Amino acid sequence: MATESQQEGTVTQGVDVEKLKAFLEFAEANPDDVQFGLEAKGVYEGRAIHTKATTGPYTLGGQRIDRTAREYVHHLGGHREVEDAVGFVDPTDRQEVIELALAALSGCINAAVSMSAIAAGIELDELETRVRIAWDPFVFLHLEEITTEDGDPVDMFGDLEVDIEADGDGLGEDERSYLEESVGRSAVYNLVTLPHRCRPSVRRR
């Protein structure tokens, strides 16, 4: 059931629906003003695998936005058991990078599904997304080449599993199917499931 605060006025799931509609009309009429440029930075911490990663500056509609309050920090590395096995001195336990990517994916899918629920007038009370993937570390460990004999990149991963649990009044089969389809509106899902051109470059400071 929707909470009392969700039922007041035009607010649902913490979003003012009338303001959202106005924004969508603006975006449709001014597409260049709602385009994003997103970035992140990873700084090596002098210990293999360990990185201090930060996000913060971004561009919106061509305007760069950079404020100290948006500098979110992630100290990335490996699982303690893995560090111990491969010979790290004083092994630690840190956020593992693939797990962080999966966490971002789960959040983005929740974002896409919840916003799609608003668009369709679906009352959504509960939403949980769980993502899983199997990883073969042989390429990372230099036990296998980066490319196959045909020059194709070696796929390190198994199939991506996405399981979503949702609940709300009137959430029938049609609504369930609609929300399932709305996963395709997730930006991170698009990022990790579709090919995007990339040419990494290394330069000396």
Side-chain angles (χ1 to χ4, degrees):
M1 298 289 292
T3 65
E4 184 177 339
S5 61
Q6 286 176 320
Q7 294 173 335
E8 292 176 355
T10 61
V11 176
T12 180
Q13 296 188 63
V15 176
D16 186 323
V17 177
E18 293 304 316
K19 190 172 181 180
L20 173 61
K21 288 179 179 178
F23 170 78
L24 294 176
E25 290 175 2
F26 171 82
E28 188 171 23
N30 304 274
D32 290 345
D33 290 338
V34 296
Q35 303 303 309
F36 280 94
L38 304 174
E39 61 186 79
K41 178 176 67 176
V43 178
Y44 172 64
E45 295 182 277
R47 180 179 172 97
I49 300 177
H50 286 206
T51 290
K52 177 185 177 183
T54 58
T55 58
Y58 70 100
T59 59
L60 177 58
Q63 178 185 357
R64 186 172 175 82
I65 299 170
D66 187 4
R67 55 182 179 270
T68 304
R70 288 209 81 258
E71 186 172 297
Y72 301 106
V73 179
H74 301 275
H75 292 284
L76 305 173
H79 308 95
R80 185 177 65 237
E81 293 80 6
V82 175
E83 288 196 355
D84 184 41
V86 301
F88 275 64
V89 177
D90 298 325
T92 60
D93 197 75
R94 284 193 167 198
Q95 283 185 293
E96 202 277 337
V97 291
I98 302 169
E99 293 173 329
L100 185 61
L102 294 177
L105 176 59
S106 70
C108 195
I109 290 175
N110 278 355
V113 172
S114 59
M115 289 297 283
S116 294
I118 293 174
I122 297 172
E123 186 174 309
L124 198 61
D125 297 327
E126 296 182 30
L127 177 62
E128 180 178 296
T129 297
R130 187 177 297 269
V131 293
R132 306 177 187 84
I133 200 162
W135 174 45
D136 180 348
F138 267 40
V139 171
F140 177 78
L141 295 171
H142 290 254
L143 297 174
E144 190 173 343
E145 294 302 319
I146 296 173
T147 57
T148 66
E149 292 181 357
D150 296 329
D152 297 322
V154 172
D155 189 347
M156 304 182 198
F157 294 95
D159 292 338
L160 181 64
E161 300 176 32
V162 177
D163 293 313
I164 302 169
E165 292 184 354
D167 199 10
D169 282 353
L171 190 61
E173 180 59 26
D174 288 345
E175 291 79 10
R176 186 206 63 77
S177 180
Y178 166 79
L179 293 179
E180 186 174 274
E181 183 179 292
S182 73
V183 171
R185 297 184 183 277
S186 160
V188 179
Y189 181 79
N190 183 287
L191 179 64
V192 302
T193 61
L194 297 182
H196 298 88
R197 289 190 297 273
C198 179
R199 288 185 174 274
S201 64
V202 176
R203 65 179 186 276
R204 188 169 184 177
R205 283 192 161 185

